[in-house]
Amino acid sequence: MNKFDVVVIGAGAAGLFCAAEAGKRGRSVAVLDHAKKIGRKILMSGGGRCNFTNMYASHENYLCSNPHFCKSALSRYTQWDFISLVAEYGIAYHEKTLGQLFCDESAADIVNLLVSECRKANVEITTRCEILSVSKTDEGFALSTSMGDYECASLVVATGGLSLPKLGATPFGYKLAEQFGLNVLPTRAGLVPFTLHEKDKTILAELSGVAIDTYATCNDTTFRENTLFTHRGLSGPAMLQISSYWQPGDILHINASPTFDIAESLAEAQLKNPDSLITTWLSKHFPKRVAATFCELNRWDNKPVKQLNSKEADAIAGFFEDWQIHPNGTEGYRTAEVTLGGVDTDELSSKTMMSKKVEQLFFIGEVVDVTGWLGGYNFQWAWSSGWAAAQYV
Ligand code: FDA
């Protein structure tokens, strides 16, 4: 029988950080993970450089059925606390854009930091460990696993969401929550590329690899970032961000001319270069391929701009200012960076992350119904929620 004060299930960002912080408080801690390797999502995050936090992280950057829930943890372990830890380890980092901090070298630096913090705190990490059952005892919890039986006073569930099943994602955390009578909100893929209906997909596939500056809007939320055309549909930061606000059936609004007034530009072209073709005029603002493909998409006759009547000119300007797309769906958990929904925050204390129904049962990280924007916010939630639970296990 393996006896610990704390067992953490899941050796990802939240689980490892929570384990180290609990160990520092003198608790004996075991981390169990079914995967061969720990921190696999960290290793592949940020294109291998891990966008480990965001300088501007606040509760406003998160989706949650209770928008106030994440305030407490985020304010008690902040981005600046994690940045100090990264600096303590001498890990070089830089701001890429919009407050997003990335390692200069490798995401492995962050995993090594977590392992080192766990070692200092005498945390025992076991991989390839299947959790077969979990039950409540008078003293805490009993776990039956492929690596033997465990007993602990506090149990922390840090098994993440459903995205990237090939990296070891499972619904374990949601099922465990339900086993103990906690409500779990429906889950769906977030920060995920859109797929398109066949006609749009075929035409726009011509632009595969091209990115344009856009405002993307859905359900009263707007992001100003790049939209990337792919052979499957639409991706890039603007699309990933807005995908978390999109529900099947919703229309996506794209403003493809955020830095210039397209109607004014067309009027000027009609005055100064009346014989230039629509595609030639559009090529002033967009790559040539974009101009030609948008003409095809809208069935605009590629004629000299002087031949456009005011209705046609308005239609062209209207398209660039508010291109309305009906996505076919998203690429789903196969490529999503996060999972929306999860363990209902009404079931948890925002101060401790402990279940209100079951003493000493904690849920942290992505398994909870708290989902950050793209840009380091999800790791910050893993650090902050992990730290909060670590103070009370
Ligand atoms: P995480 O998924 O990290 O860890 C869960 C752990 O639980 C895993 O080790 C898993 O093996 C284990 N587990 C699952 N089921 C189990 C079971 N049944 N038994 C035992 N163990 C089990 N965020 C960000 O802020 N900046 C970024 O740059 C990126 N980049 C990024 C890229 C890609 C490709 C993805 C998929 C995601 C990101 N993210 C991100 C999101 C970020 O990776 C994610 O939000 C955090 O890893 C969540 O941390 P958790 O510890 O909650 O789960």
Side-chain angles (χ1 to χ4, degrees):
M1 174 65 70
N2 302 289
K3 274 194 165 195
F4 289 87
D5 294 328
V6 185
V7 167
V8 178
I9 307 178
L16 290 172
F17 192 65
C18 177
E21 292 298 314
K24 285 184 203 167
R25 286 183 48 238
R27 312 292 280 153
S28 61
V29 187
V31 184
L32 310 178
D33 200 298
H34 71 152
K36 283 185 227 154
K37 240 174 138 176
I38 63 167
R40 285 186 75 191
K41 272 195 195 161
I42 304 174
L43 290 172
M44 73 176 298
S45 67
R49 295 242 164 96
C50 185
N51 177 193
F52 56 83
T53 193
N54 193 295
M55 295 199 291
Y56 308 120
S58 90
H59 71 282
E60 288 171 1
N61 309 112
Y62 294 85
L63 292 91
C64 176
S65 62
N66 172 0
H68 303 290
F69 180 83
C70 60
K71 278 183 184 170
S72 173
L74 288 173
S75 68
R76 283 178 302 133
Y77 190 87
T78 70
Q79 58 271 43
W80 304 109
D81 294 316
F82 196 76
I83 292 166
S84 300
L85 182 63
V86 167
E88 229 177 81
Y89 275 77
I91 298 171
Y93 63 89
H94 60 278
E95 180 190 357
K96 197 168 169 191
T97 175
L98 304 169
Q100 302 168 6
L101 301 186
F102 286 73
C103 297
D104 284 359
E105 298 291 328
S106 162
D109 290 341
I110 300 295
V111 176
N112 292 339
L113 174 158
L114 294 169
V115 170
S116 170
E117 287 289 286
C118 281
R119 264 199 208 118
K120 278 199 255 173
N122 295 316
V123 172
E124 197 180 294
I125 302 172
T126 305
T127 51
R128 299 172 194 255
C129 179
E130 296 290 335
I131 317 296
L132 305 173
S133 69
V134 177
S135 54
K136 186 84 187 73
T137 62
D138 289 345
E139 294 80 32
F141 300 87
L143 288 81
S144 159
T145 83
S146 58
M147 300 293 213
D149 293 338
Y150 284 78
E151 274 183 10
C152 58
S154 308
L155 181 64
V156 181
V157 183
T159 44
L162 297 171
S163 46
L164 297 211
K166 67 174 190 232
L167 289 192
T170 71
F172 180 90
Y174 308 129
K175 288 193 173 150
L176 194 77
E178 283 168 350
Q179 178 193 326
F180 283 102
L182 276 65
N183 186 39
V184 176
L185 297 172
T187 56
R188 67 192 163 87
L191 300 180
V192 62
F194 287 106
T195 54
L196 298 173
H197 290 286
E198 206 50 42
K199 187 181 137 260
D200 288 346
K201 188 173 101 175
T202 309
I203 296 173
L204 293 170
E206 292 291 317
L207 298 180
S208 187
V210 174
I212 57 171
D213 185 11
T214 51
Y215 281 113
T217 302
C218 191
N219 291 320
D220 300 327
T221 304
T222 299
F223 290 94
R224 162 83 188 275
E225 298 235 36
N226 274 351
T227 289
L228 172 73
F229 299 94
T230 72
H231 59 281
R232 282 193 292 267
L234 298 173
S235 187
M239 292 299 108
L240 298 185
Q241 296 281 33
I242 208 68
S243 72
S244 295
Y245 292 83
W246 181 85
Q247 301 274 0
D250 286 344
I251 296 177
L252 207 60
H253 297 264
I254 297 180
N255 179 337
S257 57
T259 53
F260 56 93
D261 185 328
I262 190 92
E264 209 171 84
S265 167
L266 179 55
E268 191 184 308
Q270 285 176 313
L271 207 62
K272 294 187 181 159
N273 303 297
D275 292 319
S276 67
L277 296 174
I278 296 174
T279 47
T280 314
W281 156 66
L282 279 175
S283 300
K284 265 178 48 185
H285 299 295
F286 300 99
K288 272 202 177 104
R289 273 158 76 197
V290 173
T293 304
F294 280 174
C295 274
E296 188 189 344
L297 185 72
N298 292 290
R299 297 208 192 98
W300 294 329
D301 186 11
N302 190 19
K303 56 190 176 185
V305 289
K306 70 179 178 197
Q307 290 178 15
L308 290 167
N309 61 35
S310 61
K311 204 174 153 202
E312 288 169 325
D314 287 349
I316 291 176
F319 168 78
F320 284 100
E321 279 162 14
D322 186 16
W323 174 19
Q324 299 186 14
I325 303 182
H326 296 254
N328 182 16
T330 70
E331 290 186 9
Y333 295 120
R334 190 177 60 79
T335 60
E337 287 202 10
V338 287
T339 301
L340 292 142
V343 177
D344 190 344
T345 54
D346 282 353
E347 301 279 8
L348 307 175
S349 152
S350 61
K351 188 176 169 198
T352 65
M353 306 302 295
M354 189 170 83
S355 157
K356 291 176 185 168
K357 286 186 182 133
V358 185
E359 270 290 302
Q360 291 302 311
L361 175 63
F362 298 80
F363 290 85
I364 57 171
E366 202 179 313
V367 72
V368 179
D369 170 37
V370 172
T371 307
W373 290 0
L374 184 79
Y377 302 102
N378 284 297
F379 280 135
Q380 187 55 45
W381 172 245
W383 318 137
S384 297
S385 60
W387 185 90
Q391 310 313 305
Y392 298 92
V393 288

